[in-house]
Amino acid sequence: MIGVGLIGCGYWGPNLLRNFSDLTEVVAVADLKEERLKHISGRYPAVKMTTDYEDLLHDDRIEAVVIATPVNSHFEIALGALQAGKHVFVEKPLTTSSKHAEILINEAERRNRVLMVDHTFVYTGAVRKIRELVQSGEMGDVLYYDSVRINLGLFQHDVNVIWDLAVHDLAIMDYILPHRPCAVSATGCSHLQGEPENIAYLTLFFEDLSIAHVHVNWLSPVKIRRTLIGGSKKMVVYDDLEPSEKVKVYDKGITLSEDTRYRLQVGYRAGDMWAPQLDNSEALRTEAQHFLWCIQTGEQPLTDGHAGLRLVRILEAASESINDRGKLVELEAWRLAA
């Protein structure tokens, strides 16, 4: 049994606590709000409760720390945990800057500790199936990724809607697409004075001429989680809110041919639609198991610190683009300049 400590028990923390408690021993939970701890202690009477997260870092029974706090606190807490010799699982995004992410990666590697980022969607049966379809070549060349991820709230005060919602799509793309983005453009707006952008549009460009577009919004009357992935052979519709058949594969597309005057003729192909069988295991449970397995075996996590760093770099570039009304930011040039 690997002793685990949870830091932060607000919105996402209880889900992490439930899953890790089912898999291993949760020794202690830390949260600044005593009312949260009182609520949690009623369900987990054997777990130690504290308002000081450093109590967990000094507890020899705790081998791994799970961090579910606001983004701007991730770096300080994760660095302290690594320096205390703990393995670290941190909620997305990894940090608020690529510089801080690099420090955490180096610290984890220097101390031979697991650093894993909570990119939950990577561990869903739906996203794993889409990756399988892409890697097998069944979809052909990926032409575009188009996503809408909108709802009413939860408004964040330390990061904008791209850092909160679009990071999910960035994690999915990082996992399923064969190429990584080379440039980014983003536009957005805040409708609350002094608060981060609550609506944004993010466009990613790839060297293989594919393109990705993500629309995120905290101020929508409806909740939508729908993604279209277009391939040269087949296309996928992924709707995470569907109770069943979250992934639908369409044998639809276009065919090109030349007529007698050497002009391209566009034809349309309309075949069958099918919904593949998916693994319905809870993604967070699969992810927690993977974290514990990596601690036991020394295996590199699927969503390790380097994956977290790649996303933070895109998010930073997107924020720069928003501040300059959609200016195209070349990711490699931006990274070297930073």
Side-chain angles (χ1 to χ4, degrees):
M1 298 288 282
I2 296 172
V4 170
L6 172 64
I7 301 175
C9 210
Y11 172 71
W12 196 238
N15 296 318
L16 291 164
L17 177 58
R18 171 175 53 82
N19 280 283
F20 276 103
S21 294
D22 289 343
L23 296 170
T24 189
E25 179 188 6
V26 176
V27 177
V29 172
D31 195 283
L32 292 175
K33 295 187 177 181
E34 292 186 358
E35 59 269 25
R36 288 180 181 168
L37 297 177
K38 289 179 181 178
H39 177 72
I40 293 297
S41 64
R43 297 190 60 185
Y44 302 92
V47 178
K48 175 185 174 182
M49 303 290 162
T50 177
T51 56
D52 187 354
Y53 78 84
E54 291 194 1
D55 291 345
L56 278 63
L57 307 188
H58 299 140
D59 193 328
D60 293 335
R61 297 173 298 167
I62 295 176
E63 299 176 59
V65 169
V66 177
I67 301 170
T69 60
V71 181
N72 57 16
S73 65
H74 286 182
F75 172 68
E76 179 184 357
I77 298 174
L79 182 61
L82 290 169
Q83 290 174 339
K86 315 295 186 185
H87 303 280
V88 171
F89 178 99
V90 58
E91 193 180 9
K92 60 79 187 170
L94 176 57
T95 57
T96 57
S97 77
S98 54
K99 179 180 179 180
H100 284 167
E102 289 171 349
I103 292 173
L104 293 182
I105 291 169
N106 292 334
E107 189 69 21
E109 291 177 350
R110 186 171 72 86
R111 295 180 179 272
N112 195 27
R113 288 294 177 265
V114 173
L115 174 62
M116 180 169 163
V117 190
D118 181 11
H119 295 163
T120 313
F121 280 92
V122 169
Y123 299 89
T124 62
V127 172
R128 287 173 176 258
K129 175 57 69 173
I130 295 171
R131 174 183 164 92
E132 180 184 314
L133 293 169
V134 171
Q135 289 197 329
S136 69
E138 187 170 348
M139 291 183 63
D141 297 326
V142 177
L143 306 177
Y144 65 84
Y145 179 106
D146 197 343
S147 176
V148 178
R149 193 174 295 273
I150 62 177
N151 55 265
L152 189 61
L154 298 162
F155 276 74
Q156 307 292 324
H157 302 289
D158 56 340
V159 292
N160 66 25
V161 68
I162 286 181
W163 287 74
D164 179 49
L165 292 182
V167 64
H168 292 304
D169 289 289
L170 296 178
I172 293 171
M173 284 186 271
D174 188 71
Y175 180 60
I176 69 172
L177 298 185
H179 302 284
R180 291 179 181 143
C182 58
V184 59
S185 172
T187 55
C189 181
S190 172
H191 297 93
L192 299 177
Q193 186 175 1
E195 293 293 320
E197 291 84 3
N198 55 265
I199 181 172
Y201 302 88
L202 176 67
T203 303
L204 300 170
F205 300 90
F206 297 78
E207 291 181 353
D208 65 343
L209 301 183
S210 58
I211 191 171
H213 185 263
V214 181
H215 169 205
V216 285
N217 188 352
W218 284 329
L219 202 58
S220 165
V222 295
K223 183 174 183 178
I224 300 175
R225 298 287 188 268
R226 186 177 296 120
T227 302
L228 307 178
I229 304 171
S232 59
K233 294 181 180 178
K234 293 180 181 177
M235 302 182 182
V236 164
V237 176
Y238 167 36
D239 190 338
D240 190 54
L241 299 185
E242 279 282 343
S244 62
E245 299 185 350
K246 291 180 181 293
V247 174
K248 295 178 181 177
V249 183
Y250 291 82
D251 184 13
K252 290 187 176 183
I254 61 173
T255 57
L256 301 177
S257 60
E258 293 185 359
D259 65 10
T260 55
R261 290 170 294 180
Y262 303 102
R263 292 181 179 177
L264 285 177
Q265 295 274 28
V266 178
Y268 298 92
R269 184 185 73 257
D272 295 332
M273 182 281 290
W274 61 284
Q277 184 70 34
L278 304 177
D279 179 2
N280 291 321
S281 302
E282 183 180 359
L284 198 53
R285 174 67 56 89
T286 302
E287 190 176 24
Q289 288 174 327
H290 182 57
F291 177 57
L292 297 173
W293 171 258
C294 290
I295 293 173
Q296 293 171 327
T297 64
E299 183 179 314
Q300 194 74 359
L302 193 60
T303 53
D304 61 4
H306 293 283
L309 172 61
R310 290 194 295 271
L311 268 58
V312 170
R313 284 174 174 162
I314 297 172
L315 292 167
E316 284 181 308
S319 295
E320 179 182 325
S321 180
I322 284 181
N323 292 335
D324 206 356
R325 293 192 173 184
K327 180 190 75 173
L328 185 69
V329 178
E330 300 285 345
L331 287 170
E332 184 62 20
W334 179 89
R335 182 182 71 82
L336 294 174

